[in-house]
PDB file of all heavy atoms in Angstrom:
ATOM      1  N   THR A 144     130.714  37.151 383.352  1.00  0.00           N
ATOM      2  CA  THR A 144     130.687  38.449 382.673  1.00  0.00           C
ATOM      3  C   THR A 144     129.520  39.231 383.268  1.00  0.00           C
ATOM      4  O   THR A 144     128.830  38.742 384.157  1.00  0.00           O
ATOM      5  CB  THR A 144     130.453  38.272 381.158  1.00  0.00           C
ATOM      6  OG1 THR A 144     129.133  37.741 380.971  1.00  0.00           O
ATOM      7  CG2 THR A 144     131.475  37.340 380.537  1.00  0.00           C
ATOM      8  N   GLY A 145     129.290  40.408 382.744  1.00  0.00           N
ATOM      9  CA  GLY A 145     128.208  41.235 383.273  1.00  0.00           C
ATOM     10  C   GLY A 145     126.819  40.716 382.912  1.00  0.00           C
ATOM     11  O   GLY A 145     125.820  41.230 383.407  1.00  0.00           O
ATOM     12  N   ILE A 146     126.763  39.707 382.068  1.00  0.00           N
ATOM     13  CA  ILE A 146     125.460  39.139 381.677  1.00  0.00           C
ATOM     14  C   ILE A 146     125.281  37.805 382.392  1.00  0.00           C
ATOM     15  O   ILE A 146     126.196  36.962 382.395  1.00  0.00           O
ATOM     16  CB  ILE A 146     125.384  38.938 380.150  1.00  0.00           C
ATOM     17  CG1 ILE A 146     125.648  40.278 379.449  1.00  0.00           C
ATOM     18  CG2 ILE A 146     124.044  38.362 379.740  1.00  0.00           C
ATOM     19  CD1 ILE A 146     125.804  40.159 377.955  1.00  0.00           C
ATOM     20  N   MET A 147     124.107  37.624 382.963  1.00  0.00           N
ATOM     21  CA  MET A 147     123.879  36.452 383.806  1.00  0.00           C
ATOM     22  C   MET A 147     124.097  35.131 383.061  1.00  0.00           C
ATOM     23  O   MET A 147     123.540  34.924 381.981  1.00  0.00           O
ATOM     24  CB  MET A 147     122.445  36.498 384.359  1.00  0.00           C
ATOM     25  CG  MET A 147     122.192  35.414 385.381  1.00  0.00           C
ATOM     26  SD  MET A 147     120.579  35.572 386.145  1.00  0.00           S
ATOM     27  CE  MET A 147     119.508  35.327 384.764  1.00  0.00           C
ATOM     28  N   ASP A 148     124.928  34.270 383.660  1.00  0.00           N
ATOM     29  CA  ASP A 148     125.166  32.907 383.165  1.00  0.00           C
ATOM     30  C   ASP A 148     125.639  32.903 381.710  1.00  0.00           C
ATOM     31  O   ASP A 148     125.332  31.981 380.944  1.00  0.00           O
ATOM     32  CB  ASP A 148     123.885  32.052 383.294  1.00  0.00           C
ATOM     33  CG  ASP A 148     123.376  31.998 384.727  1.00  0.00           C
ATOM     34  OD1 ASP A 148     124.200  32.057 385.647  1.00  0.00           O
ATOM     35  OD2 ASP A 148     122.151  31.921 384.914  1.00  0.00           O
ATOM     36  N   ASP A 149     126.403  33.908 381.348  1.00  0.00           N
ATOM     37  CA  ASP A 149     126.716  34.100 379.930  1.00  0.00           C
ATOM     38  C   ASP A 149     128.181  33.891 379.566  1.00  0.00           C
ATOM     39  O   ASP A 149     128.510  33.768 378.397  1.00  0.00           O
ATOM     40  CB  ASP A 149     126.301  35.519 379.517  1.00  0.00           C
ATOM     41  CG  ASP A 149     126.244  35.665 378.024  1.00  0.00           C
ATOM     42  OD1 ASP A 149     125.454  34.920 377.409  1.00  0.00           O
ATOM     43  OD2 ASP A 149     127.001  36.475 377.467  1.00  0.00           O
ATOM     44  N   GLY A 150     129.076  33.853 380.536  1.00  0.00           N
ATOM     45  CA  GLY A 150     130.507  33.806 380.197  1.00  0.00           C
ATOM     46  C   GLY A 150     130.906  32.467 379.618  1.00  0.00           C
ATOM     47  O   GLY A 150     130.158  31.487 379.683  1.00  0.00           O
ATOM     48  N   PRO A 151     132.112  32.413 379.037  1.00  0.00           N
ATOM     49  CA  PRO A 151     132.583  31.158 378.446  1.00  0.00           C
ATOM     50  C   PRO A 151     132.656  30.023 379.466  1.00  0.00           C
ATOM     51  O   PRO A 151     133.057  30.231 380.606  1.00  0.00           O
ATOM     52  CB  PRO A 151     133.974  31.511 377.910  1.00  0.00           C
ATOM     53  CG  PRO A 151     134.306  32.848 378.439  1.00  0.00           C
ATOM     54  CD  PRO A 151     133.064  33.514 378.886  1.00  0.00           C
ATOM     55  N   VAL A 152     132.263  28.857 378.993  1.00  0.00           N
ATOM     56  CA  VAL A 152     132.242  27.683 379.871  1.00  0.00           C
ATOM     57  C   VAL A 152     133.658  27.139 380.054  1.00  0.00           C
ATOM     58  O   VAL A 152     134.414  26.996 379.093  1.00  0.00           O
ATOM     59  CB  VAL A 152     131.322  26.603 379.270  1.00  0.00           C
ATOM     60  CG1 VAL A 152     131.487  25.278 380.005  1.00  0.00           C
ATOM     61  CG2 VAL A 152     129.867  27.069 379.320  1.00  0.00           C
ATOM     62  N   ILE A 153     133.996  26.844 381.300  1.00  0.00           N
ATOM     63  CA  ILE A 153     135.307  26.259 381.593  1.00  0.00           C
ATOM     64  C   ILE A 153     135.213  24.728 381.611  1.00  0.00           C
ATOM     65  O   ILE A 153     136.053  24.033 381.057  1.00  0.00           O
ATOM     66  CB  ILE A 153     135.841  26.777 382.945  1.00  0.00           C
ATOM     67  CG1 ILE A 153     135.946  28.311 382.914  1.00  0.00           C
ATOM     68  CG2 ILE A 153     137.202  26.149 383.264  1.00  0.00           C
ATOM     69  CD1 ILE A 153     136.236  28.953 384.259  1.00  0.00           C
ATOM     70  N   ALA A 154     134.157  24.216 382.236  1.00  0.00           N
ATOM     71  CA  ALA A 154     133.986  22.762 382.297  1.00  0.00           C
ATOM     72  C   ALA A 154     132.537  22.442 382.651  1.00  0.00           C
ATOM     73  O   ALA A 154     131.845  23.262 383.255  1.00  0.00           O
ATOM     74  CB  ALA A 154     134.924  22.152 383.324  1.00  0.00           C
ATOM     75  N   GLN A 155     132.126  21.232 382.253  1.00  0.00           N
ATOM     76  CA  GLN A 155     130.747  20.796 382.541  1.00  0.00           C
ATOM     77  C   GLN A 155     130.749  19.338 382.962  1.00  0.00           C
ATOM     78  O   GLN A 155     131.680  18.598 382.667  1.00  0.00           O
ATOM     79  CB  GLN A 155     129.866  20.936 381.278  1.00  0.00           C
ATOM     80  CG  GLN A 155     129.720  22.372 380.819  1.00  0.00           C
ATOM     81  CD  GLN A 155     128.868  22.512 379.572  1.00  0.00           C
ATOM     82  OE1 GLN A 155     129.038  21.748 378.622  1.00  0.00           O
ATOM     83  NE2 GLN A 155     127.980  23.488 379.564  1.00  0.00           N
ATOM     84  N   ARG A 156     129.699  18.961 383.656  1.00  0.00           N
ATOM     85  CA  ARG A 156     129.439  17.538 383.933  1.00  0.00           C
ATOM     86  C   ARG A 156     128.003  17.248 383.545  1.00  0.00           C
ATOM     87  O   ARG A 156     127.105  18.029 383.872  1.00  0.00           O
ATOM     88  CB  ARG A 156     129.661  17.211 385.414  1.00  0.00           C
ATOM     89  CG  ARG A 156     131.126  17.141 385.802  1.00  0.00           C
ATOM     90  CD  ARG A 156     131.276  16.828 387.271  1.00  0.00           C
ATOM     91  NE  ARG A 156     131.208  15.398 387.521  1.00  0.00           N
ATOM     92  CZ  ARG A 156     132.271  14.624 387.728  1.00  0.00           C
ATOM     93  NH1 ARG A 156     133.488  15.139 387.714  1.00  0.00           N
ATOM     94  NH2 ARG A 156     132.133  13.331 387.967  1.00  0.00           N
ATOM     95  N   GLU A 157     127.812  16.145 382.872  1.00  0.00           N
ATOM     96  CA  GLU A 157     126.464  15.783 382.393  1.00  0.00           C
ATOM     97  C   GLU A 157     125.755  14.883 383.394  1.00  0.00           C
ATOM     98  O   GLU A 157     126.392  14.099 384.099  1.00  0.00           O
ATOM     99  CB  GLU A 157     126.578  15.060 381.050  1.00  0.00           C
ATOM    100  CG  GLU A 157     127.101  15.942 379.939  1.00  0.00           C
ATOM    101  CD  GLU A 157     127.040  15.248 378.591  1.00  0.00           C
ATOM    102  OE1 GLU A 157     126.790  14.016 378.558  1.00  0.00           O
ATOM    103  OE2 GLU A 157     127.249  15.927 377.569  1.00  0.00           O
ATOM    104  N   VAL A 158     124.444  15.016 383.417  1.00  0.00           N
ATOM    105  CA  VAL A 158     123.591  14.158 384.242  1.00  0.00           C
ATOM    106  C   VAL A 158     122.442  13.676 383.355  1.00  0.00           C
ATOM    107  O   VAL A 158     121.620  14.492 382.922  1.00  0.00           O
ATOM    108  CB  VAL A 158     123.035  14.935 385.459  1.00  0.00           C
ATOM    109  CG1 VAL A 158     122.040  14.080 386.239  1.00  0.00           C
ATOM    110  CG2 VAL A 158     124.168  15.411 386.361  1.00  0.00           C
ATOM    111  N   PRO A 159     122.372  12.376 383.089  1.00  0.00           N
ATOM    112  CA  PRO A 159     121.258  11.874 382.263  1.00  0.00           C
ATOM    113  C   PRO A 159     119.930  12.090 382.980  1.00  0.00           C
ATOM    114  O   PRO A 159     119.840  11.910 384.200  1.00  0.00           O
ATOM    115  CB  PRO A 159     121.556  10.375 382.130  1.00  0.00           C
ATOM    116  CG  PRO A 159     122.982  10.212 382.551  1.00  0.00           C
ATOM    117  CD  PRO A 159     123.309  11.321 383.487  1.00  0.00           C
ATOM    118  N   ILE A 160     118.926  12.466 382.229  1.00  0.00           N
ATOM    119  CA  ILE A 160     117.588  12.617 382.805  1.00  0.00           C
ATOM    120  C   ILE A 160     116.884  11.266 382.730  1.00  0.00           C
ATOM    121  O   ILE A 160     116.868  10.629 381.673  1.00  0.00           O
ATOM    122  CB  ILE A 160     116.802  13.715 382.067  1.00  0.00           C
ATOM    123  CG1 ILE A 160     117.488  15.071 382.309  1.00  0.00           C
ATOM    124  CG2 ILE A 160     115.347  13.740 382.538  1.00  0.00           C
ATOM    125  CD1 ILE A 160     116.788  16.253 381.664  1.00  0.00           C
ATOM    126  N   LYS A 161     116.350  10.846 383.875  1.00  0.00           N
ATOM    127  CA  LYS A 161     115.695   9.531 383.929  1.00  0.00           C
ATOM    128  C   LYS A 161     114.197   9.686 383.784  1.00  0.00           C
ATOM    129  O   LYS A 161     113.631  10.725 384.149  1.00  0.00           O
ATOM    130  CB  LYS A 161     115.994   8.866 385.272  1.00  0.00           C
ATOM    131  CG  LYS A 161     117.442   8.529 385.503  1.00  0.00           C
ATOM    132  CD  LYS A 161     117.584   7.893 386.876  1.00  0.00           C
ATOM    133  CE  LYS A 161     119.028   7.603 387.210  1.00  0.00           C
ATOM    134  NZ  LYS A 161     119.224   7.215 388.593  1.00  0.00           N
ATOM    135  N   LYS A 162     113.564   8.633 383.325  1.00  0.00           N
ATOM    136  CA  LYS A 162     112.107   8.606 383.247  1.00  0.00           C
ATOM    137  C   LYS A 162     111.557   8.802 384.666  1.00  0.00           C
ATOM    138  O   LYS A 162     112.038   8.193 385.619  1.00  0.00           O
ATOM    139  CB  LYS A 162     111.659   7.242 382.707  1.00  0.00           C
ATOM    140  CG  LYS A 162     110.365   7.298 381.971  1.00  0.00           C
ATOM    141  CD  LYS A 162     110.097   5.987 381.234  1.00  0.00           C
ATOM    142  CE  LYS A 162     108.642   6.019 380.839  1.00  0.00           C
ATOM    143  NZ  LYS A 162     108.002   4.738 380.898  1.00  0.00           N
ATOM    144  N   GLY A 163     110.579   9.659 384.802  1.00  0.00           N
ATOM    145  CA  GLY A 163     109.980   9.867 386.123  1.00  0.00           C
ATOM    146  C   GLY A 163     110.690  10.909 386.957  1.00  0.00           C
ATOM    147  O   GLY A 163     110.282  11.200 388.088  1.00  0.00           O
ATOM    148  N   ASP A 164     111.776  11.471 386.442  1.00  0.00           N
ATOM    149  CA  ASP A 164     112.487  12.520 387.190  1.00  0.00           C
ATOM    150  C   ASP A 164     111.567  13.700 387.460  1.00  0.00           C
ATOM    151  O   ASP A 164     110.767  14.097 386.599  1.00  0.00           O
ATOM    152  CB  ASP A 164     113.694  13.027 386.375  1.00  0.00           C
ATOM    153  CG  ASP A 164     115.020  12.526 386.918  1.00  0.00           C
ATOM    154  OD1 ASP A 164     115.076  12.197 388.119  1.00  0.00           O
ATOM    155  OD2 ASP A 164     115.984  12.461 386.133  1.00  0.00           O
ATOM    156  N   THR A 165     111.683  14.275 388.637  1.00  0.00           N
ATOM    157  CA  THR A 165     111.058  15.559 388.929  1.00  0.00           C
ATOM    158  C   THR A 165     112.178  16.590 389.031  1.00  0.00           C
ATOM    159  O   THR A 165     113.364  16.224 389.064  1.00  0.00           O
ATOM    160  CB  THR A 165     110.319  15.510 390.279  1.00  0.00           C
ATOM    161  OG1 THR A 165     111.302  15.302 391.305  1.00  0.00           O
ATOM    162  CG2 THR A 165     109.281  14.390 390.308  1.00  0.00           C
ATOM    163  N   ALA A 166     111.781  17.838 389.133  1.00  0.00           N
ATOM    164  CA  ALA A 166     112.806  18.880 389.281  1.00  0.00           C
ATOM    165  C   ALA A 166     113.661  18.600 390.518  1.00  0.00           C
ATOM    166  O   ALA A 166     114.879  18.815 390.506  1.00  0.00           O
ATOM    167  CB  ALA A 166     112.140  20.252 389.379  1.00  0.00           C
ATOM    168  N   ASP A 167     113.036  18.071 391.558  1.00  0.00           N
ATOM    169  CA  ASP A 167     113.775  17.805 392.793  1.00  0.00           C
ATOM    170  C   ASP A 167     114.757  16.648 392.664  1.00  0.00           C
ATOM    171  O   ASP A 167     115.900  16.735 393.124  1.00  0.00           O
ATOM    172  CB  ASP A 167     112.802  17.526 393.952  1.00  0.00           C
ATOM    173  CG  ASP A 167     112.121  18.796 394.424  1.00  0.00           C
ATOM    174  OD1 ASP A 167     112.590  19.897 394.053  1.00  0.00           O
ATOM    175  OD2 ASP A 167     111.122  18.690 395.158  1.00  0.00           O
ATOM    176  N   THR A 168     114.291  15.556 392.058  1.00  0.00           N
ATOM    177  CA  THR A 168     115.212  14.408 391.946  1.00  0.00           C
ATOM    178  C   THR A 168     116.379  14.759 391.018  1.00  0.00           C
ATOM    179  O   THR A 168     117.518  14.376 391.258  1.00  0.00           O
ATOM    180  CB  THR A 168     114.486  13.143 391.423  1.00  0.00           C
ATOM    181  OG1 THR A 168     113.923  13.438 390.126  1.00  0.00           O
ATOM    182  CG2 THR A 168     113.382  12.707 392.375  1.00  0.00           C
ATOM    183  N   LEU A 169     116.051  15.518 389.988  1.00  0.00           N
ATOM    184  CA  LEU A 169     117.103  15.936 389.054  1.00  0.00           C
ATOM    185  C   LEU A 169     118.079  16.902 389.737  1.00  0.00           C
ATOM    186  O   LEU A 169     119.304  16.774 389.601  1.00  0.00           O
ATOM    187  CB  LEU A 169     116.432  16.605 387.841  1.00  0.00           C
ATOM    188  CG  LEU A 169     117.295  16.893 386.629  1.00  0.00           C
ATOM    189  CD1 LEU A 169     118.064  15.653 386.169  1.00  0.00           C
ATOM    190  CD2 LEU A 169     116.406  17.422 385.496  1.00  0.00           C
ATOM    191  N   ALA A 170     117.523  17.817 390.491  1.00  0.00           N
ATOM    192  CA  ALA A 170     118.365  18.798 391.193  1.00  0.00           C
ATOM    193  C   ALA A 170     119.351  18.104 392.125  1.00  0.00           C
ATOM    194  O   ALA A 170     120.525  18.497 392.217  1.00  0.00           O
ATOM    195  CB  ALA A 170     117.491  19.762 391.995  1.00  0.00           C
TER     196      ALA A 170
END
Side-chain angles (χ1 to χ4, degrees):
T144 66
I146 303 171
M147 187 174 64
D148 303 329
D149 195 60
V152 169
I153 302 170
Q155 296 179 315
R156 285 180 84 101
E157 294 187 349
V158 174
I160 295 182
K161 295 179 183 170
K162 208 169 166 216
D164 254 336
T165 64
D167 286 346
T168 59
L169 191 52

